[in-house]
Amino acid sequence: MLTFFGVLMLSILWHSLLDDRSGTFGVSNYLALMNAPGVWRAMWNSLVLGVVTTLVTLALGFVVAYGLKCTAMPAKHFISFATSLPVLAPSLVLGLGLIFLLGRNGIVGNLLGVRLNIYGFWGLLIANVLYALPQAILIIRVTLRQSDTRQI
């Protein structure tokens, strides 16, 4: 498996260092990419989205995990089951579900009589949080289970 992936990665690296126009070997492709318009803005947008997704996921994950582990809230088993279901489903199912629910002609928009736009930062944030939340809940629950209950 290492050979299979290693050969592919070395091939990609080799081709990235070859300049198609002049046939020379070097970092000219990378320099051209760094000077391309929009690259730095896309990198900044990705960084902001990643940080906000992490913060929101951690906050929601802690609240749910704490509720499941340390409180007497009703329907703990159902909530635990429901939050772990997305781990078993492919990410395509989550994406299509969000579009069907919150898309321009989605169920929520039709019921509320508004036209929602999830094709931007907020839609990506919702999708990323929903994708990462089950794993965060599982990890935080295990951490709370192993921690000293006097500190909780």
Side-chain angles (χ1 to χ4, degrees), residues 2-140:
L2 180 62
T3 303
F4 177 74
F5 287 113
V7 168
L8 289 177
M9 293 306 291
L10 286 175
S11 173
I12 291 170
L13 177 65
W14 176 262
H15 284 53
S16 73
L17 292 172
L18 281 179
D19 189 2
D20 290 336
R21 285 178 237 121
S22 64
T24 59
F25 189 78
V27 294
S28 61
N29 290 333
Y30 292 103
L31 293 175
L33 177 67
M34 292 302 143
N35 292 327
V39 168
W40 293 104
R41 183 167 182 204
M43 198 179 310
W44 173 254
N45 288 342
S46 297
L47 182 66
V48 169
L49 181 65
V51 168
V52 174
T53 298
T54 302
L55 294 175
V56 171
T57 302
L58 283 175
L60 291 175
F62 180 78
V63 168
V64 173
Y66 187 85
L68 290 173
K69 177 67 183 130
C70 302
T71 66
M73 78 180 189
K76 276 186 180 184
H77 295 293
F78 175 75
I79 293 170
S80 177
F81 175 73
T83 57
S84 62
L85 264 182
V87 175
L88 304 173
S91 56
L92 178 65
V93 172
L94 177 65
L96 288 174
L98 282 174
I99 291 171
F100 289 147
L101 284 174
L102 302 175
R104 289 190 178 119
N105 197 20
I107 295 171
V108 173
N110 287 337
L111 288 175
L112 297 176
V114 295
R115 219 170 140 94
L116 300 172
N117 185 10
I118 62 165
Y119 304 104
F121 177 82
W122 297 108
L124 287 171
L125 179 65
I126 291 169
N128 286 340
V129 168
L130 289 178
Y131 181 77
L133 191 60
Q135 290 91 348
I137 292 170
L138 289 172
I139 293 168
I140 295 170

